[in-house]
Amino acid sequence: MKPIIGITMGDAAGIGPEIIVKALEHSSVYDISRPVVIGDIKMLQRAASITGSKLTLNKIENISEGKFVSGTIDCIHMDLLPADLPFGELSPLAGDAAFKFIKKAVDLAKNGEIQVICTAPLNKAALHLGGHMYPGHTEILADLTDTEDYSMLLTTPKLKVIHLTTHKGLIDAINSINPERTYKVIKLANETLIRAGYKNPKIAVCGINPHCGENGLFGYGEEEEKLIPAIEKAISEGVNVSGPHPADTVFFRAIRGEFDLVVACYHDQGHVPIKVSGFEDGVNITVGLKGGIIRTSVDHGTAFDIAGKNIADEASLLAAIEAGAELAPKS
C-alpha cells in the first residue's frame, strides 16, 4: 500500500497553504503516496482561489474518510483560524495553530494512521507568540515523541547524508563527538534504510581530519578515539559500514553508487555536498523519532514577503513528499 503522508500546514500566514495546493495539483504525488493535509480548510480554500486551482477540497475528521485520489485534497480540518488571517504578519493564532497541526500529526502517526509527517514551514517568532517556546519543528517532534536520540538526514536524488552534529561551532562539534554518538547514528541510519526497503545498506563514515589524519600527521587521533570503535562495534553486529573515509572523496563515491548513505561529522561537512549535488531538490528529514516516525520538510521558511501572491514554488514540498514516500516503512 502507498504510504499515507500527513502534510502539516505550518504557519498559515505564510506560503504553506499555497505550496500545498500547488504540490497536490501534481498527479504524480498520488502515484507514490496517499496525502492528507492536517490544517484548516479555510486556508486551503483561500490558497486555491489565489492560485486558480480547480481541485476539490474534502473536509474530513478521520483518516478513514479520505479519498486519496488525484484532483481532490483531503484535509483533516482543525477550525483554528479566521478566514481573513492576514498574510505575512506575525500572529499568535497562526503560531498556536501551527503547533496544534504538528501535535495532531504526531498523534496520528503514533496510532499508525499515517506513516510519514511532511511539514510546511512554521515561523519561530509566531510559534513563540502562540505560547510554544521551541526552536523549531525538530525539537517539537522530539518532545512530543519523548525522543532523545535523533539525527538530521539530508537527501537529494543522488546523495543521502546523516549528521553526528549539526548546529554547533566546529570546535564544539568535534569535542561533542564520541563513540556512543557515532554508533547510535550508524545504527539509526541502518535501521532507517532497512525499514525503507534497502536489503543491506552500504554506509560510509567520514573522517574528521583531512585524509582521516593520515597516520597522525593531522589532528590528535580523533578518528581512532571517536569513530573507529563505533564502526567496529557496528560491523560486529552485521552492519555494512566502513570508514572512516576521507571527506574529499567519499561523497563523490556515494554519488557514483558505492554507498547508500554517508555519515558526516559536522554541519558543513555534510551540508556542502548536499547543496552542490541538488540545491533545489534537498530535503531535511528527522530520523530516530520514537515509533519509527519519519518526518520530512521543505528546505525554506514561511516567506512572509511573498505569501498570498501566487509566487511561491512548490518544488521543495514535492521533493519532501517524494522523500517521505521513499523512506516510509515498507512493512
Side-chain angles (χ1 to χ4, degrees):
M1 295 291 289
K2 291 176 284 190
I4 300 178
I5 298 180
I7 305 172
T8 58
M9 186 173 284
D11 192 310
I15 61 173
E18 290 175 64
I19 61 173
I20 289 172
V21 168
K22 288 182 177 182
L24 297 184
E25 291 270 8
H26 294 255
S27 61
S28 59
V29 170
Y30 294 83
D31 295 334
I32 60 173
S33 68
R34 290 176 287 169
V36 57
V37 179
I38 301 166
D40 191 307
I41 204 165
K42 298 188 298 297
M43 302 298 102
L44 291 180
Q45 291 168 337
R46 183 169 68 166
S49 176
I50 290 167
T51 62
S53 173
K54 303 301 182 183
L55 294 175
T56 299
L57 301 179
N58 180 35
K59 181 169 69 174
I60 63 177
E61 293 185 6
N62 301 298
I63 294 292
S64 59
E65 300 169 17
K67 296 181 179 179
F68 306 117
V69 294
S70 180
T72 297
I73 298 180
D74 298 300
C75 176
I76 292 184
H77 176 55
M78 300 173 67
D79 193 8
L80 300 174
L81 296 167
D84 60 351
L85 178 75
F87 285 115
E89 297 181 13
L90 290 175
S91 164
L93 285 177
D96 179 55
F99 174 84
K100 289 176 178 174
F101 299 153
I102 299 165
K103 187 176 186 307
K104 178 67 173 179
V106 169
D107 290 341
L108 292 170
K110 285 180 176 179
N111 292 334
E113 296 181 71
I114 63 176
Q115 286 71 58
V116 176
I117 298 172
C118 180
T119 56
L122 54 72
N123 184 285
K124 294 174 185 177
L127 184 70
H128 294 172
L129 287 174
H132 307 286
M133 307 306 290
Y134 294 92
H137 272 114
T138 302
E139 292 78 11
I140 295 173
L141 289 161
D143 189 25
L144 292 176
T145 57
D146 297 317
T147 302
E148 294 182 3
D149 293 317
Y150 53 88
S151 187
M152 176 188 291
L153 171 65
L154 300 179
T155 74
T156 71
K158 297 180 179 180
L159 183 64
K160 291 179 175 63
V161 178
I162 197 167
H163 290 69
L164 297 183
T165 68
T166 49
H167 296 114
K168 293 183 177 182
L170 185 55
I171 293 173
D172 291 337
I174 293 171
N175 286 338
S176 71
I177 297 171
N178 56 52
E180 292 76 22
R181 172 64 178 170
T182 304
Y183 171 75
K184 286 178 180 178
V185 172
I186 292 170
K187 292 283 285 185
L188 184 55
N190 189 59
E191 292 163 2
T192 299
L193 292 181
I194 287 174
R195 283 198 302 269
Y198 288 71
K199 299 300 182 185
N200 186 29
K202 300 185 294 291
I203 298 170
V205 179
C206 276
I208 294 172
N209 294 297
H211 307 292
C212 296
E214 198 149 316
N215 298 315
L217 288 177
F218 310 118
Y220 299 93
E222 287 86 358
E223 283 75 17
E224 290 77 10
E225 175 191 348
K226 299 170 179 289
L227 304 179
I228 291 175
I231 294 169
E232 291 177 346
K233 182 179 180 181
I235 290 172
S236 73
E237 297 175 357
V239 179
N240 187 5
V241 59
S242 62
H245 297 280
D248 59 356
T249 57
V250 70
F251 295 102
F252 169 75
R253 294 172 63 190
I255 289 171
R256 193 169 61 181
E258 290 186 47
F259 306 112
D260 297 310
L261 178 146
V262 178
V263 178
C265 295
Y266 51 88
H267 185 281
D268 284 10
Q269 188 181 64
H271 278 63
V272 170
I274 283 288
K275 299 294 185 182
V276 171
S277 70
F279 188 84
E280 295 180 350
D281 298 314
V283 178
N284 183 333
I285 302 170
T286 306
V287 295
L289 298 172
K290 286 186 179 178
I293 299 170
I294 294 290
R295 173 256 177 167
T296 67
S297 174
V298 297
D299 65 353
H300 57 72
T302 48
F304 276 178
D305 57 324
I306 62 170
K309 298 178 181 178
N310 195 23
I311 298 173
D313 191 310
E314 72 275 20
S316 186
L317 182 57
L318 281 172
I321 294 170
E322 291 167 3
E326 179 191 358
L327 292 176
K330 301 299 187 290
S331 61

